[in-house]
Amino acid sequence: MKRNLITLLAFVTFAAPVLAVQPDEILADPALEARARDLSKDLRCLVCRNESIDESNAELARDLRLLVRERLVAGDTDDESISYIVNRYGEYVLLRPTASGANWLLWAAGPVMLLIGAGVGGGFLRNRAKATSQGETDLSADEKQRLAEILKD
């Protein structure tokens, strides 16, 4: 019984993305359908944010899937189909944005911030090590005498 429940749970979990594409959306030509599914995996659902339109059940995702299929049936190449959707909805629709133009700033921001953080951290540690070594001095004669008195008591 427990094994059947686990199997059912695994099936429902892994079959969920398959259920997003409706039967009436599927193209008759298997080659075009495969191209449409590949393109759909690289396009972001504008409602679900971090989910591809191939996996999303949102109405807008369905509209985008249909638009991709329309463009492919019309004879567009994969790049032309993606360009058409990007021109219509903006570059945000791409799950993997291009690294060109103003996007270079976004792509470079992470590594640059990491290097800046490492430099600031290294400088802090270096200054802390210098401050500790400079602050360490031997006890004065009065301090030694006071310490000896404290230890006697």
Side-chain angles (χ1 to χ4, degrees):
M1 177 68 179
K2 194 179 219 183
R3 187 176 193 187
N4 290 339
L5 182 61
I6 292 172
T7 304
L8 179 65
L9 182 63
F11 176 75
V12 169
T13 302
F14 294 117
V18 174
L19 299 175
V21 177
Q22 305 289 322
D24 62 335
E25 297 175 31
I26 297 175
L27 296 173
D29 183 7
L32 278 180
E33 180 61 26
R35 283 177 56 202
R37 294 297 293 262
D38 285 342
L39 292 178
S40 296
K41 290 177 183 171
D42 293 333
L43 295 173
R44 179 190 318 270
C45 174
L46 299 173
V47 175
C48 306
R49 303 287 168 119
N50 234 9
E51 198 172 42
S52 72
I53 62 171
D54 195 50
E55 300 168 340
S56 176
N57 288 322
E59 283 296 316
L60 184 58
R62 175 182 163 78
D63 293 342
L64 285 171
R65 287 192 303 264
L66 290 173
L67 183 60
V68 167
R69 284 165 172 77
E70 285 175 16
R71 301 306 309 171
L72 291 177
V73 168
D76 285 359
T77 64
D78 293 354
D79 290 336
E80 289 173 340
S81 300
I82 294 293
S83 296
Y84 179 82
I85 292 172
V86 168
N87 289 337
R88 193 168 185 183
Y89 293 97
E91 198 167 315
Y92 180 73
V93 78
L94 297 174
L95 275 174
R96 286 182 236 123
T98 60
S100 62
N103 285 345
W104 274 111
L105 180 64
L106 296 174
W107 281 98
V112 167
M113 290 298 186
L114 180 67
L115 292 174
I116 290 172
V120 168
F124 174 76
L125 291 175
R126 187 175 40 248
N127 289 339
R128 190 174 115 189
K130 286 180 184 176
T132 305
S133 64
Q134 289 174 356
E136 293 176 1
T137 57
D138 289 336
L139 295 176
S140 66
D142 291 335
E143 291 171 334
K144 287 180 183 178
Q145 182 182 1
R146 177 72 180 134
L147 182 60
E149 289 174 6
I150 292 173
L151 291 175
K152 282 183 184 178
D153 292 337

